[in-house]
């Protein structure tokens, strides 16, 4: 595997984790848990944004990895 594919795999995993956190926040009735899951989802979204920027940078530097 290339670095680009590893980073893209990581990005997919992060998006999945973030979606799970949002789902947990929606499904719980406990307000403390809801707040915790929401905060974790927001933090994860920040990481997703940073990794997505890195993917774009990799694709600009190495066009052959675009779209994989």
């Amino acid at each position: 595997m290339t670095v680009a594919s590893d980073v893209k795999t990581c990005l997919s995993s992060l998006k999945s984790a973030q979606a799970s956190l949002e789902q947990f926040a929606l499904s719980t009735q406990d307000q403390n848990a809801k707040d915790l899951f929401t905060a974790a989802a927001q933090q994860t979204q920040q990481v997703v944004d940073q990794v997505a920027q890195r993917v774009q940078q990799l694709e600009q530097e190495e066009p052959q990895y675009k779209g994989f």
Side-chain angles (χ1 to χ4, degrees), residues 31-42:
Q31 189 59 46
N32 288 333
K34 187 179 294 278
D35 293 342
L36 179 71
F37 288 132
T38 300
Q42 290 170 346

Side-chain angles (χ1 to χ4, degrees), residues 10-23 36-54 56:
C10 177
L11 181 59
S12 295
S13 297
L14 285 166
K15 286 180 179 182
S16 175
Q18 194 239 356
S20 294
L21 289 166
E22 289 176 348
Q23 185 60 43
L36 179 71
F37 288 132
T38 300
Q42 290 170 346
Q43 290 175 342
T44 305
Q45 182 60 52
Q46 292 173 351
V47 176
V48 165
D49 293 342
Q50 292 172 350
V51 175
Q53 288 176 354
R54 180 62 180 140
Q56 289 177 348

